[in-house]
Amino acid sequence: MKEDLKVGLFGIGLENYWEQFTGLKMKLENNLAHLESEMTKMHPDILNLGLIDSIDKSRKAGLQFKKENVDILFLYVTTYALSATVIPLVKIANVPVIILNLSPERAIDYDAFNKLQDRTKMTGEWLMHCSACPVPEIANVFKRLGIHFHEINGVLNDRTDSCWKEIVGYIDAAKVVNSLFYNNMGVMGHYYNGMLDIYTDLTKVYRYFGGHIQIIEVDELSALVDTVENEEIKQKITEFENEFEIMDDCSEHEIRRAAKTSVALDKIVNKYNLGSMAYYYKGTGNFQNANAMSSIILGNSLLTIKGIPVAGEYEIKNCLAMKIMDLFGSGGSFTEYYAMDFDDDVVLMGHDGPGHTRIAEGKAKVKPLQVYHGKVGDGLSIEMSVKNGPVTLLSIIEGSNNDFELLIAEGESVPGPILEIGNTNSRYRFKIPARDFVKKWNAHGPAHHCAIGVGHIAHKLKKLAHLMGIQSNQVV
């Protein structure tokens, strides 16, 4: 069962200061309380263990964070603090850590400061603003101990400062990491023969992304299709009509066939509590299997818009990419290169099979296909373009070093003519010429599929990669 994200927060300071500088500790604790209040607006479950100023407190806090099963730590540097104070807590908690170097104000009021005259008061005031001081020390020790971290610099009392976008980005990325850990991915069928770029080591998926992979027999789906009742078919057809624009040349027979398979798919999803699925199966020589797999597209599209992305061609890496994009609220539709339009300087991208119709420009169309190219059978398919406006592409790569990487690009979905062939199909423009974009993208060695989502979220995807401990690259 999925658990909600738990965020750990603590401040650091130097115990020796409190007797020397009256009121300093209280001011720093107030700053920490303000930070907690702002972060709670981003995520309700914040565990704040206060100002950590000694080794003993650090150990106890680390054990408390571990006991409470926090997923990510935000270390707020309130003033100078010893690196030795931080290490026990971070090592015991053993989760990703984000260093917050946040000044209380945009700048010190130098005139008011220099009029204080009392050197002790001046030093106390300075210490309230010197969060930048110990960060190099902490970074040095983290590096030497192999502790992965990220640093955010900014202003505590300026909600318009870019640091807040960074903080919310890391919280959102941590939510995705947490959701992936509890995700059940179904894999049904087998790889498309000879499509070597998509072959994936399932055990390695566990290592980097967590979750569980449920191997499902196609026969189970095709057997369930035969158990679907008329009332279930009627309800599913109503769902189709509400979600899609069904074209006049779609036969009643094909619509009913798609509805039966969609109902059976729902039962598979419910049985295994699936949060995503990758599939491919030719079904050659077996009528039941061929019937199920050639009527699966509408049902898989409905699952995709419900937060259960379905990737065709057994593309497990792209199923993960689609799930990530969906968890960030951007959609995540299955896509690949179609062609290049050098006159309009755009790349045409799309794919046959399911689409994320909630990110479509207008209502997605259902069209009949006489043949599934490269596959067995015929049936109904989805035709749509992604909403015009900003988009993000995500590909999960297995590199030559045998690790996973995230390949990211931001562009625009633009209006214009598409290939009206019953597939998802969009026109994308990038900041660099199309020929240069394609060359740079392919230079990273991605699989030929990727996930497309609406909005520009490269900054969040990079944070996700950092939290997962994998490399990310953005094509710009």
Side-chain angles (χ1 to χ4, degrees):
M1 182 177 178
K2 182 188 177 301
E3 295 181 4
D4 291 332
L5 178 79
K6 180 162 286 188
V7 175
L9 171 66
F10 67 103
I12 56 170
L14 187 60
E15 192 175 29
N16 295 341
Y17 287 159
W18 313 146
E19 290 185 3
Q20 295 176 326
F21 306 102
T22 303
L24 175 61
K25 184 180 181 183
M26 185 178 68
K27 290 178 181 178
L28 299 179
E29 287 175 332
N30 287 341
N31 287 344
L32 178 58
H34 175 70
L35 175 60
E36 179 189 4
S37 175
E38 291 299 314
M39 290 179 66
T40 301
K41 297 173 186 176
M42 306 170 189
H43 183 69
D45 198 355
I46 307 289
L47 177 61
N48 177 12
L49 294 189
L51 202 58
I52 306 301
D53 55 13
S54 69
I55 301 293
D56 186 53
K57 286 182 181 178
S58 180
R59 288 173 177 151
K60 289 179 180 177
L63 290 170
Q64 183 67 20
F65 281 134
K66 189 172 184 178
K67 180 181 178 182
E68 296 290 338
N69 197 29
V70 298
D71 298 284
I72 185 171
L73 286 176
F74 285 87
L75 187 176
Y76 172 37
V77 185
T78 68
T79 186
Y80 178 75
L82 294 166
S83 52
T85 305
V86 182
I87 297 305
L89 186 160
V90 171
K91 285 187 71 65
I92 293 170
N94 193 30
V95 295
V97 57
I98 312 299
I99 299 173
L100 301 179
N101 171 23
L102 306 179
S103 300
E105 306 294 342
R106 296 196 66 83
I108 297 170
D109 186 338
Y110 303 103
D111 290 338
F113 180 89
N114 290 324
K115 288 176 182 177
L116 289 174
Q117 296 184 347
D118 184 324
R119 296 289 172 82
T120 301
K121 287 184 178 179
M122 293 172 77
T123 302
E125 186 68 17
W126 159 58
L127 288 172
M128 198 176 74
H129 289 82
C130 81
S131 57
C133 181
V135 176
E137 176 182 339
I138 294 168
N140 171 278
V141 176
F142 278 7
K143 284 277 190 181
R144 291 166 69 182
L145 294 181
I147 297 170
H148 296 290
F149 68 95
H150 184 81
E151 176 184 340
I152 296 176
N153 302 305
V155 185
L156 177 66
N157 291 313
D158 183 356
R159 200 59 176 81
T160 66
D161 190 83
S162 61
C163 68
W164 295 103
K165 181 182 178 182
E166 291 280 292
I167 292 170
V168 84
Y170 265 108
I171 290 176
D172 287 349
K175 290 177 184 176
V176 173
V177 173
N178 185 64
S179 295
L180 290 173
F181 182 82
Y182 291 99
N183 180 58
N184 293 333
M185 179 195 294
V187 290
M188 184 168 61
H190 56 76
Y191 288 112
Y192 196 114
N193 186 41
M195 206 174 275
L196 304 182
D197 58 327
I198 65 174
Y199 292 5
T200 300
D201 180 346
L202 298 185
T203 303
K204 192 163 64 173
V205 172
Y206 279 87
R207 174 186 172 189
Y208 287 91
F209 297 94
H212 170 69
I213 297 173
Q214 181 69 43
I215 298 174
I216 303 168
E217 296 289 347
V218 173
D219 304 66
E220 184 173 5
L221 175 67
S222 58
L224 281 171
V225 169
D226 290 337
T227 69
V228 176
E229 298 179 355
N230 281 331
E231 188 57 36
E232 293 175 301
I233 295 172
K234 289 178 183 178
Q235 291 174 3
K236 186 59 68 172
I237 290 174
T238 299
E239 193 175 353
F240 286 167
E241 291 170 343
N242 290 336
E243 188 62 38
F244 312 124
E245 181 183 355
I246 301 175
M247 307 309 287
D248 292 339
D249 53 349
C250 296
S251 70
E252 182 180 349
H253 168 73
E254 288 294 350
I255 295 169
R256 285 182 59 85
R257 197 162 70 92
K260 288 180 71 175
T261 302
S262 183
V263 172
L265 278 167
D266 291 346
K267 293 178 180 180
I268 290 281
V269 167
N270 291 333
K271 178 179 179 179
Y272 296 109
N273 191 26
L274 300 183
S276 57
M277 188 172 75
Y279 77 100
Y280 173 74
Y281 198 72
K282 289 184 72 172
T284 305
N286 184 315
F287 171 77
Q288 282 185 301
N289 288 344
N291 177 64
M293 300 309 285
S294 63
S295 57
I296 202 170
I297 291 175
L298 270 61
N300 283 342
S301 297
L302 286 181
L303 289 174
T304 298
I305 66 174
K306 294 174 182 177
I308 305 168
V310 181
E313 296 177 358
Y314 212 74
E315 232 293 27
I316 290 159
K317 292 190 292 291
N318 207 39
C319 185
L320 287 165
M322 292 165 66
K323 183 67 176 179
I324 287 168
M325 295 298 284
D326 188 75
L327 288 169
F328 275 122
S330 292
S333 201
F334 196 72
T335 198
E336 66 183 1
Y337 289 117
Y338 271 0
M340 299 173 67
D341 184 328
F342 290 96
D343 286 339
D344 289 343
D345 198 27
V346 297
V347 182
L348 276 63
M349 301 180 76
H351 208 281
D352 60 324
H356 198 310
T357 57
R358 293 290 170 85
I359 64 169
E361 182 70 27
K363 206 167 186 179
K365 295 180 172 65
V366 176
K367 291 187 173 182
L369 297 182
Q370 281 69 48
V371 64
Y372 288 161
H373 66 277
K375 307 176 183 70
V376 170
D378 54 17
L380 303 179
S381 189
I382 294 292
E383 182 178 285
M384 57 165 268
S385 292
V386 170
K387 288 178 183 176
N388 295 159
V391 295
T392 301
L393 279 66
L394 172 64
S395 177
I396 295 178
I397 300 174
E398 282 186 272
S400 56
N401 59 1
N402 215 30
D403 289 332
F404 284 117
E405 305 171 15
L406 300 189
L407 182 60
I408 306 159
E410 293 180 339
E412 302 288 325
S413 173
V414 297
I418 63 167
L419 309 176
E420 297 176 6
I421 55 176
N423 295 346
T424 65
N425 201 315
S426 300
R427 302 164 63 85
Y428 300 115
R429 183 171 289 128
F430 302 92
K431 289 184 178 180
I432 58 177
R435 68 179 73 219
D436 295 333
F437 172 78
V438 170
K439 184 177 181 180
K440 284 188 172 185
W441 180 269
N442 292 339
H444 291 276
H448 69 285
H449 300 126
C450 66
I452 190 83
V454 294
H456 285 167
I457 63 165
H459 69 288
K460 291 187 178 183
L461 293 170
K462 291 175 183 177
K463 292 173 176 60
L464 175 72
H466 172 78
L467 294 181
M468 292 192 300
I470 65 177
Q471 183 178 342
S472 65
N473 292 290
Q474 182 177 358
V475 176
V476 292

